[in-house]
């Protein structure tokens, strides 16, 4: 079983496949950029920025019903807000793995739709 809850994703797109495809396309562009920014901010010790980016990434977890992504992003958000970037580093690796899995599933979904 994959990470994405496709029924939740479709519901969040108002039940419209074309809107869901648009949301997937935007997510495939935005999430890698956000992850790169988060990793850079973490490396540079900018805890407020890390927290803000994790909050933004969390929206993708909600949109696609990926509880694992939600949990990792929420943990990063709260740890960064508390200034504990050392603990964020471990969770950021887990978030990256989950995001990579999400992106893979989204790309596969768009590929299937194009057939």
């Amino acid at each position: 079983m994959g990470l994405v809850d496709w029924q939740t994703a479709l519901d969040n797109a108002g039940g419209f496949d074309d809107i869901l495809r648009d949301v997937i396309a935007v997510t495939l562009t935005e999430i890698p950029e956000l992850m790169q920014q988060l990793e850079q901010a973490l490396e540079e010790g900018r805890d407020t920025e890390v927290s803000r980016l994790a909050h933004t990434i969390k929206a993708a977890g909600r949109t696609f019903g990926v509880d694992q992504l939600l949990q990792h992003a929420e943990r990063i958000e709260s740890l960064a807000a508390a200034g504990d970037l050392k603990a964020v580093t471990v969770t950021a690796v887990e978030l990256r793995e989950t995001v990579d899995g999400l992106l893979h599933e989204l790309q596969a979904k768009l590929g299937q739709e194009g057939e």
Side-chain angles (χ1 to χ4, degrees):
M1 178 148 170
L3 290 170
V4 177
D5 178 339
W6 289 110
Q7 188 57 55
T8 296
L10 187 59
D11 290 348
N12 285 329
F16 297 101
D17 283 330
D18 56 337
I19 293 175
L20 179 57
R21 279 194 301 278
D22 290 346
V23 171
I24 290 170
V26 168
T27 302
L28 285 170
T29 301
E30 287 184 351
I31 292 296
E33 291 173 8
L34 290 167
M35 279 303 300
Q36 186 176 15
Q37 291 172 19
L38 184 143
E39 289 163 345
Q40 176 103 29
L42 179 58
E43 198 174 290
E44 296 172 1
R46 292 179 284 137
D47 50 1
T48 304
E49 185 77 0
V50 169
S51 182
R52 184 188 66 77
L53 289 162
H55 181 80
T56 305
I57 291 167
K58 191 168 62 173
R62 195 172 295 113
T63 299
F64 294 102
V66 183
D67 292 337
Q68 201 175 2
L69 191 149
L70 270 171
Q71 291 165 4
H72 294 323
E74 283 176 358
R75 180 159 168 73
I76 288 171
E77 188 179 4
S78 60
L79 287 169
D84 189 356
L85 292 184
K86 192 170 189 167
V88 168
T89 304
V90 175
T91 307
V93 171
E94 295 167 342
L95 178 64
R96 165 57 76 184
E97 291 170 1
T98 304
V99 164
D100 287 349
L102 169 64
L103 295 174
H104 180 75
E105 282 186 46
L106 295 181
Q107 288 166 334
K109 180 75 167 175
L110 278 188
Q112 290 169 0
E113 307 256 327
E115 291 173 4

